Amino acid sequence: MLDPYAKIAEVDPSVQRKLSESLELRAADQEMRTLVTSYLSRLNWSEGMEILEVGCGTGAITRLLAQGPGVRKVTGIDPSAIFIEKANELGEQECVEFVVGDGRELPFADQSFDVVVFHTVLGHVPSPEHFLLEAKSVLKKGGQIAIFDGDYAMRSVAIGEDDPIQACVEIMKKHNTQNPWLVRQLPAMLAAAGFTAIESASHPYLGKNPDYLLNYIERGADRLADLGRITKQTAAALKEEAHQRVRDGRFFGLFPFMSFLAISE
Ligand SMILES: C[S@@+](CC[C@H](N)C(=O)[O-])C[C@H]1O[C@@H](n2cnc3c(N)ncnc32)[C@H](O)[C@@H]1O
């Protein structure tokens, strides 16, 4: 596995800056925003809430959480100083704070948060169980945990058998995630970490505005070329094929996500 997010602080700064752009591109997508607000609206919002987002990246979800009803403070933590610098540049809300740090060793007092959010983080890190236990310790009793992650095993942009564009997605499934099966395993992991499930839901993302999926395909094509599986020319041809499908109205994309809400026992 070569998932750059798994050891983000060691990744070349220029790659981290590119990933910053992808994160903001995805968060700005209207269809994605609708999925995100739909699962976050299921939280039990209350006056004076304090929320922690672990693995906040450039802070797109942190900024959204800060707009929730009654929120007193939202803290975003991420090991990438480059992401946190970008988050500070983009975040203008007074009730938001960004911290450089690791989700396996949270620098916060026990039982200090009402909600902990993991938004597309646990599929990228080794030992997600460890992150859940750490989240449990900083959550108040009865506090809520919200998790949103990709059902990577189901990701597809193929419009037929043996579609070469799908190879770009397959390499990303292997090399841009630690555990493509994470969402199927989360209910058992949450129970083992001491959480009671409230609800889970599936959120199909279709890339109605294809910019984010095209960016994902392009990253996959570049990864195949970097690995020497295809030439740079073939990578360019795969990218062009995807763009041509968009122009022709033949483009298809389905990236399912799942959300889980649970309570700390
Ligand atoms: C796909 S990004 C999601 C970022 C953000 N939640 C969003 O949706 O825009 C995964 C994030 O997990 C972070 N991450 C990786 N290892 C981590 C760790 N040990 N502790 C906390 N966050 C980590 C990465 O730096 C990255 O920002």
Side-chain angles (χ1 to χ4, degrees), residues 4-9 23-24 26-27 53-61 77-80 83 101-104 106 118-122 124-126 131 152:
Y5 289 121
K7 289 192 176 172
I8 192 71
L23 289 175
E24 286 299 317
R26 185 179 70 173
E53 191 201 354
V54 180
C56 64
T58 50
I61 304 300
I77 186 165
D78 200 283
S80 163
F83 288 170
D102 195 309
R104 290 165 296 193
L106 293 171
F118 288 98
H119 191 88
T120 64
V121 172
L122 295 178
H124 289 290
V125 292
F131 288 75
Y152 292 89

Side-chain angles (χ1 to χ4, degrees), residues 29 100 107 116 171 182 184 215 254:
D29 182 288
V100 177
V116 174
I171 197 74
L182 174 93
R184 320 280 178 102
N215 174 276
L254 172 60

Side-chain angles (χ1 to χ4, degrees), residues 78-242:
D78 200 283
S80 163
I82 290 177
F83 288 170
I84 293 296
E85 190 186 334
K86 185 79 188 167
N88 276 320
E89 267 170 47
L90 296 170
E92 286 158 7
Q93 296 128 305
E94 266 177 25
C95 65
V96 171
E97 186 187 15
F98 292 106
V99 178
V100 177
D102 195 309
R104 290 165 296 193
E105 235 172 301
L106 293 171
F108 308 113
D110 281 359
Q111 303 199 15
S112 48
F113 292 96
D114 301 286
V115 179
V116 174
V117 176
F118 288 98
H119 191 88
T120 64
V121 172
L122 295 178
H124 289 290
V125 292
S127 310
E129 305 87 346
H130 198 145
F131 288 75
L132 293 179
L133 288 172
E134 192 66 6
K136 171 128 173 76
S137 64
V138 298
L139 261 178
K140 294 176 185 164
K141 259 195 183 326
Q144 306 167 81
I145 187 166
I147 302 173
F148 183 90
D149 225 300
D151 191 351
Y152 292 89
M154 295 283 285
R155 291 189 165 188
S156 178
V157 293
I159 57 173
E161 287 289 324
D162 305 320
D163 186 333
I165 302 283
Q166 182 64 18
C168 304
V169 172
E170 293 303 322
I171 197 74
M172 291 290 276
K173 279 188 203 171
K174 280 202 191 104
H175 287 196
N176 211 51
T177 173
Q178 283 291 309
N179 178 3
W181 303 99
L182 174 93
V183 293
R184 320 280 178 102
Q185 299 163 1
L186 263 175
M189 275 186 205
L190 279 165
F195 291 97
T196 304
I198 299 295
E199 67 174 46
S200 59
S202 179
H203 309 270
Y205 173 78
L206 300 169
K208 289 173 191 161
N209 167 354
D211 289 354
Y212 171 64
L213 293 188
L214 286 172
N215 174 276
Y216 194 88
I217 290 169
E218 287 174 359
R219 284 159 62 203
D222 288 340
R223 186 64 63 85
L224 285 168
D226 288 347
L227 290 167
R229 310 267 168 87
I230 59 176
T231 61
K232 281 201 183 322
Q233 291 92 317
T234 307
L238 287 174
K239 294 181 202 179
E240 173 50 24
E241 169 68 20

